[in-house]
Amino acid sequence: MSASDLMLTFLANVSGYDVKYVGGLNPFTIKVDGEDIFIYIKNLSPAQLSNGNPDVWRIQLPMRDDFEKIKESDKLFLLLGYDAENKVYTTWNPYWCKQRLNVG
């Protein structure tokens, strides 16, 4: 799915909750209970580890200028992986993910 499709799918899934779109396009910002949260969504891909386990999935974070603003902010950052086949999201520890932004 494209970046805009991932964002629109996420926003459709949270409609009906007190979530407001603030701006941006993957990464984008939402507001929940008055607090801004940065969201970045990527399609999941097989990790292809040497042990051949087909149940391990990952996403790769690109280097992006707009991640610097997120990394320097005190706001929460949620990294979501999307599995379109099963229509589910996965996430990782927000603290660790934020530290890894723009790190090779």
Side-chain angles (χ1 to χ4, degrees):
M1 294 176 74
S2 70
S4 60
D5 288 340
L6 287 167
M7 182 188 76
L8 293 172
T9 299
F10 174 81
L11 293 172
N13 285 322
V14 297
S15 68
Y17 295 93
D18 188 21
V19 174
K20 294 176 179 59
Y21 171 77
V22 174
L25 174 63
N26 212 19
F28 58 96
T29 306
I30 61 172
K31 189 175 290 281
V32 178
D33 293 331
E35 185 175 339
D36 285 347
I37 301 171
F38 292 109
I39 307 278
Y40 185 68
I41 306 173
K42 289 273 298 208
N43 293 300
L44 287 171
S45 60
Q48 300 177 353
L49 300 174
S50 59
N51 66 8
N53 184 346
D55 296 327
V56 178
W57 293 81
R58 69 175 184 170
I59 61 172
Q60 289 184 297
L61 289 170
M63 301 282 283
R64 296 181 57 165
D65 291 339
D66 46 358
F67 283 153
E68 285 304 316
K69 176 178 88 168
I70 294 171
K71 195 169 187 171
E72 295 169 4
S73 170
D74 291 335
K75 297 175 185 170
L76 179 64
F77 170 67
L78 295 178
L79 176 62
L80 301 175
Y82 186 66
D83 176 356
E85 182 177 328
N86 295 300
K87 297 182 180 168
V88 296
Y89 295 91
T90 189
T91 191
W92 295 267
N93 182 307
Y95 176 77
W96 293 336
C97 292
K98 194 172 190 180
Q99 286 183 326
R100 294 193 61 190
L101 291 175
N102 286 347
V103 175

